[in-house]
Amino acid sequence: MSGRAEAKMMKRFDLTKRLVAKLKREEAVVGGIGNTHFDLWASGQRPQNFYMLGSMGLACPIALGVAMAQPQRKVFAIEGDGSMLMQLGSLGTIAALAPKNLAIVIMDNASYQITGGQPTLTAKSTDIAAVARGAGLAKSDWAADEADFERRIDRALPEDGPWLIAAKIDNAPPAAETERDPMRIRENFMRGLGVRR
Ligand SMILES: Cc1ncc(C[n+]2csc(CCOP(=O)(O)OP(=O)(O)O)c2C)c(N)n1
């Protein structure tokens, strides 16, 4: 168990690619508003990816719903720190429901980067991984560096969660921008999950 201060500052797109490269079993990935889903889009548009447009804090609640609806499928949420701070209650809900197949990755750049880089509370005293543990998510910790991030993903894939992996990242711009077509995003995702032909 480590803290935010000790974690290496990494790159969101690099970590996103490392995560996606490990997905071999049609795992679902829900990217939150902000740059998390931009980089998920840029990493290759898997049919099992969902890109949240418009509302902060919904990556975890949506991923929770998918995880409960399809317990055989591993489900990842990738959320920014600003969005996570806006929806902290969802961490307690996830801990209480304890879906074994859910893993959360928090991309913590200590800012609301996409709206101009205003600092979030993680730039001060708030430690997201510790907050999540306090909410009841025992398997919540910081990725110390890229290799540790990969090790944690390797564990989260086969082993029971819920997991939370917090990653300290820099403010590099996103690798691309998601096409803003909510209907297509939804339809593709539903087909990717096998619930729409
Ligand atoms: C309820 C609400 N408040 C404000 C916004 C405007 N807004 C959109 S994204 C964003 C910042 C997201 O920050 P974070 O989740 O940390 O992601 P980052 O931009 O750093 O990748 C803000 C303030 C919004 N969409 N919804």
Side-chain angles (χ1 to χ4, degrees), residues 51-65:
Y51 314 92
M52 184 61 215
L53 305 175
S55 298
M56 295 171 74
L58 288 186
C60 291
I62 292 170
L64 171 62

Side-chain angles (χ1 to χ4, degrees), residues 140-152:
S140 166
D141 207 350
W142 286 91
D145 55 21
E146 288 84 355
D148 188 43
F149 179 82
E150 291 210 21
R151 268 194 301 274
R152 289 174 187 279

Side-chain angles (χ1 to χ4, degrees), residues 52-140:
M52 184 61 215
L53 305 175
S55 298
M56 295 171 74
L58 288 186
C60 291
I62 292 170
L64 171 62
V66 175
M68 291 178 71
Q70 298 197 335
Q72 303 311 319
R73 189 188 301 275
K74 203 86 191 192
V75 182
F76 286 84
I78 312 180
E79 187 65 290
D81 54 299
S83 297
M84 191 69 253
L85 286 166
M86 195 166 269
Q87 188 62 280
L88 286 180
S90 66
L91 294 175
T93 304
I94 289 166
L97 293 170
K100 294 176 179 163
N101 56 328
L102 180 61
I104 301 165
V105 174
I106 302 296
M107 297 288 189
D108 183 357
N109 55 10
S111 66
Y112 302 101
Q113 186 185 353
I114 208 166
T115 50
Q118 303 86 351
T120 68
L121 291 171
T122 69
K124 297 282 186 186
S125 53
T126 303
D127 180 316
I128 290 275
V131 169
R133 280 196 297 275
L137 292 171
K139 295 176 175 179
S140 166

